[in-house]
Amino acid sequence: MKRQKTLETNANNSNLFDLLSEEIVFTILDLIDTNPLDRKSFSLVCKSFYITESKHRKNLKPLRQELLPRVLNRYPHVNHLDLSLCPRINDNSLDVISNTCKDSLNSIDLSRSRFFSYNGLMSLALNCKNLASIDLSNATELRDAAAAAVAEAKNLERLWLGRCKLITDMGIGCIAVGCKKLRLISLKWCIGVGDLGVGLIAVKCKEIRSLDLSYLPITNKCLPSILKLQHLEDIVLEGCFGIDDDSLAALKHGCKSMKALDISSCQHISHVGLSSLISGAGSLQQLTLSYSCPVTLALANSLKRLSMLQSVKLDGCAVTSAGLTAIGNWCITLSELSLSKCLGVTDEGLSSLVTKHKDLKKLDITCCRKITDVSIAYITNSCTNLTSLRMESCTLVPSEAFVLIGQRCQFLEELDLTDNEIDDEGLKSISRCSKLSSLKLGICLNISDEGLSHVGMKCSKLTELDLYRSAGITDLGILAISRGCPGLEMINMSYCIDITDSSLLSLSKCSRLNTFESRGCPLITSLGLAAIAVGCKQLIKLDIKKCHNIGDAAMLPLAHFSQNLRQITLSYSSVTDVGLLALASISCLQSMTVLHLKGLTPSGLAAALLACGGLTKVKLHLSFKSLLPLPLFEHLEARGCVFEWRDKEFQVRP
């Protein structure tokens, strides 16, 4: 009996998690991986949980450079390191990473970082033998020596060098020779790289699958070698003005594996060059021709034999009805079509196209200002499986046409109706789309709380709602949304002038809210924003510009509860030195706009800027430039902060 009692006592006192295998606990951690605060709470429960969470974490996104040594020691098994929030990464930081992570590190993102050079990259490349992915985008000061250091990463498979404008053919040549396992390389805006560098990549890196050459000064010379790459699937030639019809003629001799081609903004390409695609790229699935040649009958006919084509993007192109009709007559069936800002789209051409492509899933007709209810009738009748419809500023479409969308296209997940004539009857019909996750109703002046209430009652999966300048919306409509859409993550209520604190109190129950925009809402106060801060702890972006009744009383709860906040706009509010200084305790805060704060003094601003250690961007009125000491700006810029100056006159409160 005594032994049985002892066993029962031990069973009652033991941690049930001790009975689970490490793999099962890792699976549990995977399920709470969306919010970093939840993972932190888990790790703080006990020593066992702390150790388990350390082993589980594979991805890290530190907030500060100075935290790196401690964070990397805490998480020894990291394979992906995202340093895009650390603009002050230098060679010492990369030394710490390379000596700590070594064999575990597989991927590193330095796309927003600065101050490192050849030495740091060399240390990284030599010590981290399993490094397969490096993002160096926006490292505008890197030169060929840095590229030579990258070339020492012999197992590199993915490399982004976007906007590395000082790297030349010589540096790219080093990478081509050293990194023969490359499968993806982006050279977008590397204006020092030409035909020689690109040609060397093609000759030496036979495993290339994806190649981005956007805005490079290349010509026809390098294309033949590129198109001989046997595994090339995705090539982007956007803005390559040296590419013309003769260049595309080379497609006849290679690139059988190509699945995606982007030649947008290539002004010297016509249907003559595109006709070469027929024989040379039979596997093509995605074609982007935005802002390039006119969509005529000849162009459509030149592409109609691309039997595997699924997605066509013609944004900004001049379009003819004959061209659209010819696309409609293609024997293939498209799943995605984008005609955003295309001049010449009419009911006749669009109707004939959608009638034939009944399996369309995504359609973008933004700013097609000539279409009417006729087009909407054909779209909704033929394309009933649409998941995305974007039709901003289709101003000739009457209100009754929007009823058809809800009646016939009930699989919609994304719907953009910005600046249209939709009314409450249209919203009532659209509420039938129960899978809707993104709904944009900005500048829709005919809707009211009645229509929005239907959306709240039936669209429970809604995560994004844009009501910008939809002046008919009040607290009743927002209440319906907050009750019916608990997973809401983004809402824009800017310039909905009848919104009060009541709306913010109801939205504070949407705990996943991360983006809140309410500029120009004069009736909301610090009380309402405090409720948002307390209830929405995942808040990342906040815009309260021209909310004159919000002041320091709201900044204190924000500072305490909104520790994920990264971007805030406070212009024309009533925040003073006290409130701004309180925000300094938010370690994630990176971007701040503080124009025309009457209660802000030079000394208060200086103290707040110094205290906000993670700032990377600050927008200020030009008058402060002469009121603050130059060494202050030099110190902050050395920490990685960029200042933007505005000389706008104070706008008188209406």
Side-chain angles (χ1 to χ4, degrees), residues 5 9 66 69 76 86-88 142 179 191 204 211 234-235 238 341 347 365 403 424 450 461 487 575 590 615:
K5 271 188 177 181
T9 302
E66 56 268 26
C86 301
R88 300 186 299 277
L142 291 185
C179 305
I191 56 177
K204 297 294 185 179
L211 189 58
D234 179 7
I235 182 167
E238 179 182 0
K341 300 179 182 178
D347 287 335
I365 49 175
V403 175
D424 288 339
E450 180 184 349
K461 295 183 179 180
V575 175
Q590 289 185 292
L615 284 177

Side-chain angles (χ1 to χ4, degrees), residues 321-352:
S321 293
L324 288 182
T325 301
I327 292 175
N329 291 330
W330 287 354
C331 58
I332 60 172
T333 301
L334 295 176
S335 62
E336 180 177 5
L337 176 65
S338 184
L339 299 169
S340 174
K341 300 179 182 178
C342 285
L343 298 176
V345 177
T346 62
D347 287 335
E348 178 188 1
L350 186 57
S351 299
S352 62

Side-chain angles (χ1 to χ4, degrees), residues 330-402:
W330 287 354
C331 58
I332 60 172
T333 301
L334 295 176
S335 62
E336 180 177 5
L337 176 65
S338 184
L339 299 169
S340 174
K341 300 179 182 178
C342 285
L343 298 176
V345 177
T346 62
D347 287 335
E348 178 188 1
L350 186 57
S351 299
S352 62
L353 189 155
V354 298
T355 302
K356 302 293 178 63
H357 293 279
K358 294 187 176 182
D359 288 334
L360 271 179
K361 296 293 181 62
K362 296 182 178 181
L363 178 62
D364 190 343
I365 49 175
T366 296
C367 294
C368 292
R369 301 181 187 275
K370 294 182 179 180
I371 66 170
T372 68
D373 55 328
V374 173
S375 289
I376 304 303
Y378 275 97
I379 290 169
T380 56
N381 188 53
S382 300
C383 308
T384 55
N385 291 318
L386 278 177
T387 59
S388 174
L389 176 59
R390 303 178 67 181
M391 51 177 295
E392 176 183 347
S393 298
C394 294
T395 49
L396 292 184
V397 177
S399 58
E400 54 269 19
F402 295 95

Side-chain angles (χ1 to χ4, degrees), residues 276-288:
S276 301
L277 290 169
I278 299 169
S279 58
S283 300
L284 201 66
Q285 297 176 11
Q286 301 175 30
L287 178 61
T288 303

Side-chain angles (χ1 to χ4, degrees), residues 81-132:
L81 187 56
D82 185 346
L83 298 171
S84 58
L85 300 181
C86 301
R88 300 186 299 277
I89 292 296
N90 54 29
D91 289 339
N92 290 333
S93 303
L94 294 184
D95 281 338
V96 169
I97 293 167
S98 62
N99 290 320
T100 307
C101 298
K102 289 192 175 180
D103 294 337
S104 67
L105 191 64
N106 178 266
S107 172
I108 187 168
D109 186 345
L110 293 161
S111 61
R112 290 289 184 271
S113 307
R114 294 190 290 170
F115 304 115
F116 59 86
S117 67
Y118 159 86
N119 294 320
L121 290 174
M122 181 63 77
S123 175
L124 199 66
L126 293 177
N127 290 332
C128 300
K129 300 296 185 181
N130 294 317
L131 194 60

Side-chain angles (χ1 to χ4, degrees), residues 29-81:
L29 281 169
D30 288 338
L31 297 175
I32 61 172
D33 205 40
T34 54
N35 185 3
L37 292 179
D38 292 340
R39 294 196 300 269
K40 183 177 180 180
S41 298
F42 178 91
S43 68
L44 294 176
V45 170
C46 62
K47 187 175 181 180
S48 173
F49 282 16
Y50 184 88
I51 295 172
T52 301
E53 200 269 336
S54 294
K55 293 180 180 179
H56 173 265
R57 185 77 69 93
K58 296 294 187 294
N59 299 333
L60 272 183
K61 194 172 184 177
L63 298 172
R64 306 272 187 88
Q65 169 203 357
E66 56 268 26
L67 300 177
L68 269 175
R70 187 172 63 183
V71 170
L72 292 176
N73 286 327
R74 165 85 168 92
Y75 299 105
H77 304 293
V78 168
N79 54 41
H80 174 64
L81 187 56

